[in-house]
Amino acid sequence: MKANPIIGLGTPKQAWTASRHLAEVPTLDIGTLVPEGARAVIIAPHPDDEILGSGGLMKQLVDAGRELQLISVTNGSASHPGSQHWSPERLSVIRPLESAEALRRLGVNPADLRWVRGGFPDSGVATRERELREFLGRYLQAKDVVFATWCDDGHTDHEAVGRAAAAAALAAGATFHEVPIWAWHWASPEDVRIPWARACKIVLDSQTLARKRHAMQAFASQLLGDPQIGLPPVLSADALERLLQPFEVVFL
Ligand SMILES: [Zn+2]
């Protein structure tokens, strides 16, 4: 088993701003990424990943009139292990509600997208990977453009979702792209583990970025740890800043 790379404060935003590799990543417009007539499917391991990795993309796709489907694989009940305040039962109710509020803040009406919840176990997706592949396969169509977390993102759920989504997309004849999320934490600015050659940027205008920032503040459970048991927030202020670049990256 690999060591967990998601430790410490992570790579600061300023380091990414100075990254030569990141600066050289080409931009791609969403009309090329998701052609007219195609549907975009966003597959999020936990309620918040859809906004952290693809919030700006989702907003722009909705504005462009593209059909959008969101698949939330788990309900995020394992984000605060050992906490009585943030019990798994409470989180499993609150976190999907936070996602709904975040979508509204983004300017995406949750009622306007097809939203499927998988109910897979948070932190245990890899143990049900085959089942997830079959589950995803039920919702994917040949003309879909699928966005799931990167297969090497450094979080077991993110990686299992990436693998299962890649296999399901291949079987459905759909186009598959990967979205890095935790990689921004553990990777270094010129990291050779990042597949730079297949990276592209989706530029976010200032209004979209402001909406994404506002949407991220809806994830109250992730912005607060549990001081009673010394649990820090899952998303620190630095982590939020790191995820608020004026672009989002996908690996084609
Ligand atoms: Zn996640």
Side-chain angles (χ1 to χ4, degrees), residues 45-46 48-49 155 158 182:
H46 313 101
D48 69 1
D49 289 317
H155 183 299
H158 285 212
W182 281 108

Side-chain angles (χ1 to χ4, degrees), residues 72-96:
S72 301
V73 174
T74 78
N75 52 25
S77 63
S79 62
H80 294 65
S83 173
Q84 289 191 338
H85 180 75
W86 299 108
S87 66
E89 294 73 24
R90 187 165 176 230
L91 286 164
S92 71
V93 174
I94 283 180
R95 294 196 62 190

